């Protein structure tokens, strides 16, 4: 008799739940996203009539100690403190910016005070100087210098004493310290003859005789001549005309006149120049 398939033995039913294997690596949630709760395990429907309609097993949400919960601090370290929580540096109770601005203001204030003080000192000095100048101007006295009179006879300081003691001075010798040391015989209140070779203003009687010696020293060699006009043989000195105002009034071109030769004592003239004193000096030949 052939076998029947419906007569084969049936598998025994079981009501054991299937085992759910969790993933080997815990899932990591994205930064800042909440961790989704774990998916509950749905038990297999039981074929055991005694377990039908019992529903799913009760699932409890895993606590924060679950190995599948994301911990930010353990992954990235502690969160940085808020910028509002950072305390700024302070110097003497002030912020750095306020402290720097205070120093700048103090420096500028000191500079302004120093400038004002310096300006005040200089202003006081200027005022003092003006006050002294004003007092000097107020106390200034006018000094009048009287020029010597044309008829004055006291020219002893410039005429070798002829104006005060002509008798003692006449006949004395003056030797120049320059130009071959030429010597002159002095004749007070006398005028050497002949037209002058040159006229000039000098300081005193001695300067007039030195000018005569200079003329005789340079002119012959410069012009290669031995004429009478090449040498100075005597001088006439008018002390009053040392004052140029008087010289201008007398239309005089100088107070010293260089005279050519020949010259001798007997040829001397009496002065005739409006009352002013004239003194003569002649080159002396001391070799005889």
């Amino acid at each position: 008799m052939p076998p029947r398939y419906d007569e084969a033995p049936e598998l025994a039913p079981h009501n054991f739940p299937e085992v759910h294997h969790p993933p080997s690596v815990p899932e990591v949630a994205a930064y800042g996203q909440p961790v989704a709760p774990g998916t509950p395990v749905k038990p297999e429907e039981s074929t055991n009539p005694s377990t039908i309609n019992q529903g799913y097993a009760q699932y409890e949400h895993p606590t924060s100690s679950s190995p599948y919960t994301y911990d930010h601090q353990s992954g990235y370290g502690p969160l940085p403190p808020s910028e509002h929580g950072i305390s700024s540096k302070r110097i003497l109770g002030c912020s750095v910016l306020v402290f720097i601005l205070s120093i700048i203001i103090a420096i500028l204030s000191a500079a302004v005070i120093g400038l004002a003080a310096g300006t005040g000192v200089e202003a006081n000095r200027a005022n003092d100087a003006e006050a002294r100048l004003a007092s000097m101007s107020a106390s200034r006295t006018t000094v009048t210098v009287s020029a010597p009179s044309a008829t004055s006879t006291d020219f002893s300081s410039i005429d070798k004493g002829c104006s005060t003691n002509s008798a003692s001075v006449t006949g004395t010798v003056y030797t120049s310290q320059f130009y071959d040391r030429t010597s002159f015989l002095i004749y007070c209140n006398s005028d050497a003859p002949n037209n002058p070779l040159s006229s000039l203003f000098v300081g005193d009687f001695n300067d007039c005789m030195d000018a005569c010696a200079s003329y005789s020293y340079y002119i012959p060699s410069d012009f290669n001549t031995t004429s009478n006009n090449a040498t100075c043989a005597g001088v006439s000195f008018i002390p009053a005309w040392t004052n140029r105002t008087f010289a201008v009034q007398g239309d005089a071109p100088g107070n010293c006149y260089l005279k050519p030769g020949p010259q001798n004592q007997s040829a001397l003239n009496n002065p005739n120049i409006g009352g002013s004193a004239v003194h003569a000096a002649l080159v002396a030949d001391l070799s005889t």
Side-chain angles (χ1 to χ4, degrees), residues 3-284:
R4 298 177 57 182
Y5 292 100
D6 56 355
E7 294 178 355
E10 295 180 359
L11 294 177
H14 63 85
N15 56 357
F16 300 104
E18 293 183 1
V19 178
H20 175 75
H21 298 281
S24 61
V25 180
E27 296 180 359
V28 179
Y31 177 73
Q33 298 295 328
V35 179
T39 304
V41 179
K42 180 180 179 181
E44 294 290 335
E45 293 184 358
S46 176
T47 57
N48 190 348
S50 61
T51 61
I52 297 174
N53 299 327
Q54 291 182 353
Y56 295 100
Q58 184 68 27
Y59 173 77
E60 295 183 358
H61 191 279
T63 62
S64 58
S65 59
S66 172
Y68 306 107
T69 304
Y70 175 71
D71 186 0
H72 181 278
Q73 183 169 353
S74 62
Y76 293 91
L79 292 174
S82 173
E83 292 183 359
H84 297 287
I86 300 176
S87 59
S88 59
K89 293 183 179 179
R90 306 184 73 81
I91 302 175
L92 299 177
C94 302
S95 65
V96 176
L97 178 60
V98 173
F99 183 75
I100 294 175
L101 291 177
S102 300
I103 292 177
I104 295 175
I105 292 173
I107 294 174
L108 293 178
S109 300
V112 171
I113 293 173
L115 180 61
T119 303
V121 171
E122 293 301 325
N124 290 334
R125 289 181 179 176
N127 292 335
D128 293 341
E130 291 180 357
R132 289 195 299 268
L133 180 61
S135 62
M136 291 174 62
S137 300
S139 61
R140 182 176 57 187
T141 58
T142 303
V143 178
T144 303
V145 178
S146 299
S149 172
T151 58
S152 175
T153 58
D154 188 10
F155 292 101
S156 59
S157 61
I158 62 174
D159 64 4
K160 298 187 71 66
C162 281
S163 60
T164 57
N165 193 8
S166 61
S168 299
V169 176
T170 298
T172 59
V173 177
Y174 169 77
T175 301
S176 175
Q177 299 301 310
F178 313 98
Y179 320 112
D180 292 338
R181 301 180 64 85
T182 303
S183 296
F184 296 84
L185 281 171
I186 297 173
Y187 299 94
C188 297
N189 299 316
S190 298
D191 182 20
N194 302 331
N195 293 326
L197 298 170
S198 178
S199 63
L200 63 157
F201 285 98
V202 294
D204 55 26
F205 200 179
N206 290 346
D207 291 343
C208 187
M209 290 182 279
D210 288 339
C212 180
S214 173
Y215 186 94
S216 298
Y217 183 83
Y218 287 109
I219 294 300
S221 61
D222 289 345
F223 293 94
N224 193 21
T225 180
T226 57
S227 65
N228 289 338
N229 290 337
T231 58
C232 174
V235 299
S236 292
F237 177 69
I238 300 92
W241 288 351
T242 304
N243 185 315
R244 295 196 181 192
T245 301
F246 298 152
V248 171
Q249 291 175 357
D251 197 21
N255 64 348
C256 175
Y257 296 85
L258 309 184
K259 300 295 184 71
Q263 295 286 344
N264 56 67
Q265 183 180 358
S266 61
L268 294 175
N269 299 320
N270 292 324
N272 185 18
I273 55 173
S276 297
V278 180
H279 311 299
L282 304 180
V283 175

